[in-house]
Amino acid sequence: MKSFTPSHPGMANSATEIAGMPNVTDCDGTASVSLGFPMNEFNSGEEQFNMSFFIDSYEVSSERTTYIDIGFNIPAEVLSAHAVYHAVWATAIVDKIANLHHYVINPCAELWPADLNGKAIHRSNRSLGNCADARWGTWAPGADVMSTPAWAGNPFGRGVGIVSFIANVHYDNPAEQSGIIDSSGFRVWYTPTLRQHHIDTISTMTISLNRAIVIPPGQQRWFLTRDCVLDVQDQETGEPAELHLISVSYHAHLLGKEMYTE
C-alpha cells in the first residue's frame, strides 16, 4: 500500500486509517439520480445543415479595448429555401484568441447592403438592418454561442423576420499592438424541420452602460442584486404559459468576481 502524503508535515495517516477511508473509485453512492437532457444535437429525421459567418478582415484598433458592430447576412439561398428554420447549435470560430473578448449577436429584419456584409457597421448605418434588442446568441471564452434542447430551436428566416444579424464585438488589446487583422466568426447548425417550441432570451441584469453605479473603494465584496418578475404569456394566444429555463449565463469584466441566480 502506498503511503498517504499529508499537506501538513507530522500529520500522516496510519495504514489502519487509510484502510478505513472511503474508496473513491466506488461511485455507487454518488451516482446521479437522473441525467439531464441532451443539448445541441439533431433529432432523428431532422434535415441537417450548417452555415458559417466570418468577419471580413477587420483591423483591430491599437487601443486597449474596442467595441464594434459587425453585420452578417444570412445567405440568399438559405432564406429562399424555407420560411423558418430552427438553429440547433452555434459555436464560435476564433481567429485572434488573444484579442477576441466576447460578442453579442442580435437578429435583424433587413439585409445589410452587400458592401457591409461582414464589415464594421458605423452608428449612422445601424438602422439599415432594423435590428431587435433581443439576444439571438452570445459568446465568451468557454461557452457556446447558442445551445438548444431536443424539443426547441432558435428561430430565423423570413417567416419570423430574421434575415441577418448584427454582432457587437469586444476586442481586447492589452499590448496596444498595431496591424492585428481578425477574421473570427461563428458556425450555426440548423434544420428546416421545426421543433415544438421557439427559444427566446431574457436579460435580468444589464449594467454595463449604467454610469451612475459607484463601487465603494476598499471593500473586498460589494453586491448588486435585482429581482425579475415574469408575466409569461403564449405569444400567439396571449394566454398564461409556462417558462422552461434551459440555460443561464454570466459575463463580467475586471471587477466582476461572483454571480448567482436563484
Side-chain angles (χ1 to χ4, degrees):
M1 178 181 293
K2 293 184 179 180
S3 61
F4 170 72
T5 303
S7 58
H8 299 284
M11 297 182 63
N13 295 95
S14 67
T16 302
E17 290 171 330
I18 293 175
M21 291 179 178
N23 181 0
V24 294
T25 62
D26 181 7
C27 296
D28 289 342
T30 59
S32 300
V33 175
S34 62
L35 298 178
F37 43 80
M39 301 284 286
N40 309 330
E41 297 179 1
F42 284 106
N43 295 320
S44 176
E46 289 182 343
E47 292 186 78
Q48 303 179 18
F49 300 96
N50 72 81
M51 57 183 172
S52 298
F53 301 86
F54 292 96
I55 297 171
D56 189 0
S57 302
Y58 176 75
E59 184 171 357
V60 180
S61 170
S62 60
E63 295 183 2
R64 175 65 173 79
T65 188
T66 305
Y67 287 86
I68 62 165
D69 291 323
I70 300 288
F72 297 105
N73 285 333
I74 297 173
E77 60 272 20
V78 175
L79 294 174
S80 61
H82 297 275
V84 183
Y85 297 89
H86 269 161
V88 172
W89 186 31
T91 59
I93 303 171
V94 182
D95 179 16
K96 296 297 182 289
I97 296 176
N99 304 105
L100 188 62
H101 189 275
H102 77 264
Y103 50 76
V104 177
I105 303 170
N106 287 15
C108 304
E110 302 292 340
L111 290 169
W112 298 103
D115 61 332
L116 294 182
N117 187 29
K119 298 287 190 178
I121 305 295
H122 190 269
R123 289 183 179 180
S124 61
N125 291 325
R126 188 181 172 92
S127 61
L128 295 176
N130 190 16
C131 302
D133 290 334
R135 306 286 173 83
W136 195 86
T138 59
W139 175 82
D144 291 323
V145 172
M146 183 200 61
S147 293
T148 71
W151 62 86
N154 208 4
F156 69 90
R158 293 191 185 279
V160 289
I162 301 175
V163 299
S164 65
F165 303 106
I166 189 168
N168 183 251
V169 185
H170 177 201
Y171 287 108
D172 198 23
N173 191 356
E176 299 184 348
Q177 294 178 310
S178 300
I180 299 173
I181 306 298
D182 181 55
S183 298
S184 296
F186 59 100
R187 180 170 292 117
V188 179
W189 284 263
Y190 65 96
T191 179
T193 311
L194 299 183
R195 297 175 171 185
Q196 183 179 3
H197 297 291
H198 288 340
I199 286 176
D200 207 345
T201 61
I202 57 174
S203 296
T204 58
M205 180 177 286
T206 304
I207 60 175
S208 57
L209 299 180
N210 191 334
R211 301 184 183 277
I213 294 174
V214 177
I215 299 176
Q219 294 195 29
Q220 292 295 319
R221 302 172 84 203
W222 187 77
F223 287 91
L224 289 168
T225 61
R226 176 170 293 175
D227 292 334
C228 183
V229 179
L230 300 180
D231 180 15
V232 183
Q233 298 178 350
D234 186 288
Q235 290 185 344
E236 295 181 357
T237 66
E239 295 297 319
E242 293 182 343
L243 170 70
H244 296 269
L245 189 65
I246 61 171
S247 66
V248 177
S249 61
Y250 305 102
H251 183 73
H253 288 198
L254 298 178
L255 295 180
K257 297 186 179 296
E258 303 175 49
M259 295 184 182
Y260 308 93
T261 298
E262 297 180 356

